[in-house]
Amino acid sequence: MAALGGDGLRLLSVSGPEPEPESAALNGAGPGLCCWVSVCSCLSLACSYVGSLYVWKSELPRDHPAVIKRRFTSVLVVSSLSPLCVLLWRELTGLQILFLGPLMQLSMDCPWDLADGLKVALAPQAWARCLTDMRWLRNQVIAPLTEELVFRACMLPMLAPCTGLGPAIFTCPLFFGVAHFHHVIEQLRFRQGSVGSIFLSAAFQFSYTAVFGAYTAFLFIRTGHLIGPVLCHSFCNYMGFPAVCAALEHPQRCPLLVGYVLGVGLFLLLLQPLTEPRLYSSLPLCLLLDRTGASATSLCS
């Protein structure tokens, strides 16, 4: 049922009407609402390019061969990652806005300055350690890819013709939430808390994984790609649940709380424009419903 090749891990290799020209897709009111996001993203990319030149601490002038070689390396890395930045902008911007508060908190508590942080992020040794860390591979790569494939790409095509797209968004995450109850077995086995606290934690985990599952199901239907949900899943696994209590006790509590509230507000405001289906060409689930005679909802337009 699922054809996992092609651009962005297409769900189904079904044919449909020709996509609208890109210029027509970008003329809608929805994308216009997030032009400032595009401008800020371009500014960030420009700052990354220039900032990479200054990652290397050196007293030598810019025309020295050693400085030129190091800067060659920096700009080549940034240039190579730029297409990935475009992909991340398209798929992750909404979720990063939602996590504005936690991201501010993370940056405030980070012991590194910008230059040291870039060095760590771009260091091959750091990535090599990540790729040999089984927990990192599980949380950032294997779990997001396999869970989104099973619980979104495979379940939604089976549920949607039966329930419709809207109900499927809220039904599919229930399977995803219940699947996380298996952690209770291990926690009871290794006595990682009282029975009551373990089941309370499991109920809380079910709640937020179900909400997250509804978001990624919505994202999958609106974009027609699996790569967006996978990236969002990996990002959320890295960030964890927002530490709201720690933010309330933080020395810079006021700007953090503003960041939290602003992030939630902007996320809700930009959720529809940033997932405008016309930006993502064909929508396999909507085409599937058309073929089965079911009515596609406003989620497809």
Side-chain angles (χ1 to χ4, degrees):
M1 179 180 293
L4 298 181
D7 180 21
L9 296 178
R10 297 287 187 191
L11 168 67
L12 298 169
S13 57
V14 293
S15 59
E18 289 296 322
E20 296 182 55
E22 187 176 358
S23 58
L26 296 177
N27 285 334
L33 293 175
C34 56
C35 282
W36 66 272
V37 178
S38 303
V39 172
C40 291
S41 299
C42 291
L43 181 61
S44 300
L45 199 58
C47 292
S48 299
Y49 187 92
V50 176
S52 70
L53 302 176
Y54 296 93
V55 169
W56 312 98
K57 292 182 180 179
S58 175
E59 301 299 328
L60 299 172
R62 64 186 297 270
D63 291 330
H64 192 280
V67 175
I68 293 175
K69 288 179 182 179
R70 289 174 180 174
R71 290 188 170 187
F72 276 175
T73 304
S74 297
V75 297
L76 284 173
V77 169
V78 173
S79 300
S80 301
L81 293 177
S82 293
L84 178 61
C85 291
V86 176
L87 177 65
L88 292 175
W89 167 83
R90 197 172 79 166
E91 304 289 356
L92 264 180
T93 300
L95 196 65
Q96 287 175 332
I97 290 173
L98 177 62
F99 275 80
L100 179 61
L103 286 170
M104 288 175 57
Q105 190 172 346
L106 190 65
S107 65
M108 288 177 179
D109 296 337
C110 183
W112 302 317
D113 58 21
L114 179 60
D116 290 336
L118 284 173
K119 277 187 178 180
V120 172
L122 298 177
Q125 297 88 345
W127 285 102
R129 283 195 298 271
C130 289
L131 293 174
T132 55
D133 184 346
M134 292 298 103
R135 292 182 63 183
W136 187 91
L137 284 173
R138 178 195 65 189
N139 295 337
Q140 310 306 135
V141 181
I142 303 302
L145 181 60
T146 56
E147 289 178 4
E148 294 305 319
L149 176 63
V150 172
F151 290 96
R152 248 63 71 184
C154 293
M155 287 190 181
L156 280 170
M158 293 188 287
L159 286 171
C162 173
T163 63
L165 290 180
I169 285 179
F170 297 101
T171 305
C172 191
L174 298 179
F175 298 99
F176 183 59
V178 169
H180 283 77
F181 271 109
H182 75 91
H183 295 302
V184 171
I185 300 173
E186 183 177 349
Q187 290 171 346
L188 291 173
R189 178 185 174 190
F190 291 102
R191 296 186 175 89
Q192 296 176 352
S194 65
V195 174
S197 64
I198 289 174
F199 277 95
L200 185 62
S201 174
F204 179 68
Q205 187 179 34
F206 168 81
S207 301
Y208 74 75
T209 51
V211 171
F212 173 78
Y215 169 69
T216 53
F218 172 85
L219 194 63
F220 181 61
I221 291 172
R222 292 274 290 178
T223 66
H225 296 269
L226 190 60
I227 187 66
V230 170
L231 289 173
C232 289
H233 197 142
S234 182
F235 176 76
C236 285
N237 280 356
Y238 174 76
M239 293 296 298
F241 194 82
V244 181
C245 293
L248 291 172
E249 299 174 358
H250 199 277
Q252 302 189 50
R253 178 177 56 187
C254 288
L256 272 182
L257 293 180
V258 170
Y260 271 81
V261 174
L262 188 63
V264 173
L266 288 175
F267 173 78
L268 295 175
L269 180 66
L270 297 172
L271 182 60
Q272 293 281 347
L274 289 175
T275 58
E276 174 61 46
R278 289 179 295 177
L279 295 174
Y280 300 91
S281 66
S282 63
L283 303 178
L285 267 178
C286 299
L287 294 175
L288 175 65
L289 291 184
D290 287 340
R291 287 193 166 194
T292 57
S295 59
T297 66
S298 59
L299 290 169
C300 295
S301 59

